[in-house]
């Protein structure tokens, strides 16, 4: 008879061809599969050289084989690993050979990690940290993801939950065993103290301005403004490559061009947009529409204008929520035409009401590079302030926030009930708070409430 739980296998390394390909097998028949393919099962956690054969006994490749018996493996199950030569045909032949073994099937997306979670190797927040670590593109993102994988939030949530269970145990004891001699009289007060402390700590964790989510997503900077102002030239300057087409013809950029940057360790997504102007060209029209939309949802808008021309303020979309920097480009043209720009002269003076949203102003030349140092420095500083400064973020996803808001809500109600002396409702709200915290880490378990009652209060029965 086959075991109920299928054994799964997959290519765990990146896209072939590559020097090495790692194939992993996890589940009750992982050992049998390894033996079928390589003829042996190595000592646990020791790499050995093995000939990998197909069902006909033909050698497919020579590989390093590793064996991780349960529970000391990534998934908590028996796990085998083959480090093969990373060619497409090698991988295809090995996966085909594995697929022919009874009880084995290809893994679904995330299935190894899911098994690790189900076997208690990782809690949900660590699973999310692992996903973020794999996706991390910059140092700051990597750091945040690794901290989360290692339990920055999970451990905190678990310790909060333990304290809640402690409070709940006190209230339950008061309700269930109030006529027992061993139970101290006043159990409610310490329970409420615990609830109050937790409520305040969770409120403090929630008041972080969404820093963790921001760092995961990166700072989104939209370059917008009238046509021909030099937006695409500026994007290429910042990206240090020719990502966008630059041309003297107005209306060249039509779709939104997206460039991902690592700015001093912080992730920045730079968007180049179509020049915003009235147009009859249907394609350009759509480009302008997209430009407006992207500018409206960006975190920072660089409104680029030609320093030598006048500014069509009406073109500027309504930008209330985001930071807006005015970039006066092409200052090189001013000096060649021998026009001097008074440093203090600003567009704000003429159009006070329209430019009231502008937070900073820069003067530069995207072609000569004049003024770019100051601008780049300001951009990097802004990314750092916006994304990272201060303590490591505890919450990195909306899911965390929702779970903690629910917990906080239940605690607030518990505190209100505690004051009115309704013990049963107090207990119910504490139970609810513990459950929402359990959802955060993926561990919802009521048995441990009973454990604490019997451990801490020698009820004697
Ligand atoms: N002299 C000068 N020309 C520039 C500067 N920046 C861009 N240009 C030129 O202005 C034209 C329009 O530039 P482009 O980046 O395509 O503008 P966009 O329409 O805003 O994207 C091109 O011919 C560029 O070479 C600058 O700082 N100085
Ligand atoms: Mg352009």
């Amino acid at each position: 008879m086959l075991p109920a739980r299928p054994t799964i296998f997959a290519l765990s390394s990146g896209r072939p061809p590559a020097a090495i390909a790692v194939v992993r097998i996890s589940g009750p028949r992982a050992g049998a599969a390894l033996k079928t393919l390589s003829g042996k099962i190595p000592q646990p956690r020791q790499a050995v050289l093995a000939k990998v054969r197909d069902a006909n006994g033909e050698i497919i490749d020579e590989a390093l084989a590793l064996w991780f018996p349960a529970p000391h493996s990534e998934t908590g199950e028996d796990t085998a690993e083959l480090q093969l030569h990373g060619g497409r045909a090698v991988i295809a032949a090995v996966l085909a050979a594995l697929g022919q073994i009874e009880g084995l099937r290809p893994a679904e997306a995330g299935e190894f990690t899911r098994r690790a979670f189900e076997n208690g190797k990782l809690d949900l927040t660590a699973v999310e940290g692992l996903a973020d670590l794999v996706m991390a593109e910059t140092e700051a993102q990597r750091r945040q993801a690794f901290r989360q994988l290692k339990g920055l939030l999970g451990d905190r949530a678990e310790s909060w939950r333990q304290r809640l269970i402690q409070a709940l145990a006190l209230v339950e004891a008061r309700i269930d065993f109030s006529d027992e001699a061993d139970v101290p009289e006043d159990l409610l007060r310490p329970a409420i103290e615990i609830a109050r402390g937790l409520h305040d700590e969770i409120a403090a964790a929630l008041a972080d301005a969404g820093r963790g989510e921001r760092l995961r997503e990166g700072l989104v900077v939209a370059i917008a403004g009238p046509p021909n102002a030099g937006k695409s030239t500026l994007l290429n300057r910042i990206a240090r490559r020719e990502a966008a087409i630059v041309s003297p013809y107005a209306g060249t950029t039509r779709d939104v061009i997206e460039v991902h940057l690592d700015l001093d360790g912080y992730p920045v997504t730079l968007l180049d947009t179509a020049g915003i102007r009235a147009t009859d060209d249907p394609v350009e029209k759509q480009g302008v529409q997209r430009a407006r939309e992207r500018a409206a949802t960006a975190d920072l808008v660089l409104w680029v204008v030609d320093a030598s021309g006048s500014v069509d303020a009406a073109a500027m979309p309504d930008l209330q929520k985001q930071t807006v920097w005015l970039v006066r480009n092409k200052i090189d043209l001013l000096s060649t035409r021998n026009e001097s720009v008074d440093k203090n002269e600003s567009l704000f003076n003429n159009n006070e009401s329209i430019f009231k949203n502008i937070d900073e102003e820069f003067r530069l030349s995207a072609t000569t590079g004049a003024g770019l140092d100051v601008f780049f420095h300001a951009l990097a500083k802004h990314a750092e302030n916006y994304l990272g400064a201060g303590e490591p973020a505890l919450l990195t996803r909306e899911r965390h926030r929702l779970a903690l808001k629910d917990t906080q809500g239940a605690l607030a109600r518990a505190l209100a009930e505690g004051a009115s002396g309704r013990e049963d409702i107090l207990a119910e709200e504490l139970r609810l708070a513990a459950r929402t915290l359990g959802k955060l880490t993926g561990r919802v378990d009521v048995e441990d409430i009973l454990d604490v009652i019997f451990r801490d209060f020698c009820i004697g029965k």
Side-chain angles (χ1 to χ4, degrees):
M1 241 189 52
L2 287 176
R5 196 164 180 72
T7 295
I8 54 174
F9 62 91
L11 173 68
S12 290
S13 54
R15 193 135 70 106
I20 307 285
V22 176
V23 168
R24 285 198 298 175
I25 311 158
S26 179
R29 294 189 52 80
L34 187 60
K35 187 121 199 262
T36 305
L37 255 69
S38 70
K40 57 185 156 193
I41 295 182
Q43 290 295 309
R45 295 172 294 281
Q46 284 184 24
V48 297
L49 201 59
K51 290 186 173 63
V52 179
R53 292 171 195 270
D54 65 15
N56 303 323
E58 188 189 335
I59 297 174
I60 302 171
D61 190 15
E62 204 165 46
L64 277 186
L66 287 137
W67 170 237
F68 305 95
H72 304 293
S73 72
E74 169 98 20
T75 59
E77 302 177 323
D78 281 350
T79 303
E81 187 174 308
L82 289 171
Q83 298 182 7
L84 304 148
H85 293 106
R88 287 198 181 88
V90 174
I91 295 163
V94 169
L95 294 182
L98 285 168
Q100 281 169 14
I101 300 173
E102 251 191 299
L104 265 67
R105 65 157 171 80
E108 288 161 18
E111 203 171 6
F112 286 93
T113 310
R114 190 183 173 120
R115 290 191 174 187
F117 167 66
E118 284 168 1
N119 290 324
K121 290 275 168 179
L122 299 171
D123 75 17
L124 274 189
T125 66
V127 167
E128 289 165 328
L130 182 58
D132 288 349
L133 188 61
V134 172
M135 296 307 287
E137 287 180 346
T138 74
E139 271 299 283
Q141 286 180 321
R142 180 192 61 71
R143 246 179 253 126
Q144 171 166 301
F146 190 74
R147 282 194 200 103
Q148 186 155 8
L149 171 62
K150 289 293 148 193
L152 184 68
L153 173 59
D155 292 352
R156 183 79 63 90
E158 185 53 28
S159 90
W160 281 335
R161 202 174 68 94
Q162 293 301 332
R163 281 157 64 193
L164 257 176
I165 289 168
Q166 197 79 38
L168 186 52
L170 291 164
V171 180
E172 299 266 17
R174 161 78 183 214
I175 295 169
D176 295 346
F177 309 107
S178 53
D179 50 341
E180 298 279 336
D182 290 345
V183 177
E185 250 315 294
D186 192 3
L187 294 166
L188 287 188
R189 197 148 28 115
I192 289 168
E193 277 316 306
I194 294 173
R196 196 184 315 283
L198 283 172
H199 177 275
D200 294 350
E201 276 178 48
I202 291 172
L206 281 166
D208 65 354
R211 244 181 319 120
E213 288 100 318
R214 284 183 188 180
L215 183 55
R216 282 188 65 238
E217 284 151 27
L219 175 75
V220 179
V221 181
I223 305 180
N228 246 3
K231 299 180 296 302
S232 298
T233 310
L234 184 62
L235 172 102
N236 291 346
R237 268 286 182 171
I238 304 174
R240 293 198 188 86
R241 63 186 172 90
E242 303 295 303
I245 300 171
V246 169
S247 98
Y249 304 106
T252 303
T253 308
R254 289 168 166 218
D255 213 339
V256 177
I257 292 173
E258 196 167 322
V259 175
H260 294 270
L261 296 177
D262 178 338
L263 220 63
D264 289 359
Y266 294 99
V268 172
T269 300
L270 206 58
L271 306 172
D272 182 24
T273 63
I276 293 178
R277 64 168 176 179
T279 173
D280 289 332
D281 181 321
V283 179
E284 190 184 352
K285 213 171 206 163
Q286 192 156 12
V288 171
Q289 176 62 21
R290 284 184 193 176
R292 287 178 176 278
E293 284 166 12
R294 292 308 284 265
T297 55
D299 305 309
L300 169 65
V301 174
L302 304 177
W303 188 261
V304 182
V305 298
D306 184 336
S308 63
S310 66
V311 176
D312 178 11
M316 204 163 162
D318 187 27
L319 302 169
Q320 299 293 334
K321 277 183 291 183
Q322 44 276 98
T323 308
V324 180
W325 290 359
L326 178 66
V327 177
R328 303 185 78 182
N329 188 32
K330 308 196 187 183
I331 54 167
D332 55 304
L333 293 181
L334 299 181
S335 51
T336 56
R337 286 189 217 148
N338 215 12
E339 287 175 43
S340 73
V341 178
D342 177 359
K343 284 265 176 207
N344 298 319
E345 184 227 332
S346 159
L347 291 167
F348 308 141
N349 299 341
N350 315 338
N351 286 299
E352 196 98 26
S353 61
I354 290 149
F355 290 104
K356 66 179 185 295
N357 292 331
I358 289 174
D359 301 280
E360 284 197 59
E361 189 178 340
F362 296 87
R363 291 154 194 270
L364 52 86
S365 166
T367 46
T368 69
L372 275 179
D373 277 357
V374 174
F375 173 73
F376 283 168
H377 185 74
L379 197 58
K381 203 78 209 149
H382 184 75
E384 186 186 340
N385 288 339
Y386 185 81
L387 299 174
E391 281 195 16
L394 199 56
L395 313 184
T396 59
R397 287 170 195 249
E398 184 66 13
R399 190 184 78 78
H400 306 157
R401 217 164 278 288
L402 291 178
L404 286 188
K405 275 183 188 155
D406 286 351
T407 308
Q408 194 192 20
L411 283 170
R413 292 193 300 273
L415 289 171
E417 288 304 331
S420 71
R422 294 284 310 274
E423 293 160 13
D424 50 340
I425 300 181
L426 172 61
E428 189 50 38
E429 295 294 355
L430 291 178
R431 217 172 280 125
L432 201 65
R435 201 164 302 133
T436 55
L437 271 181
K439 273 197 218 160
L440 183 58
T441 54
R443 310 227 177 292
V444 180
D445 187 357
V446 283
E447 281 308 304
D448 34 355
I449 297 174
L450 298 174
D451 291 344
V452 174
I453 292 180
F454 289 106
R455 193 185 62 220
D456 286 5
F457 299 95
C458 314
I459 300 297
K461 297 215 162 160

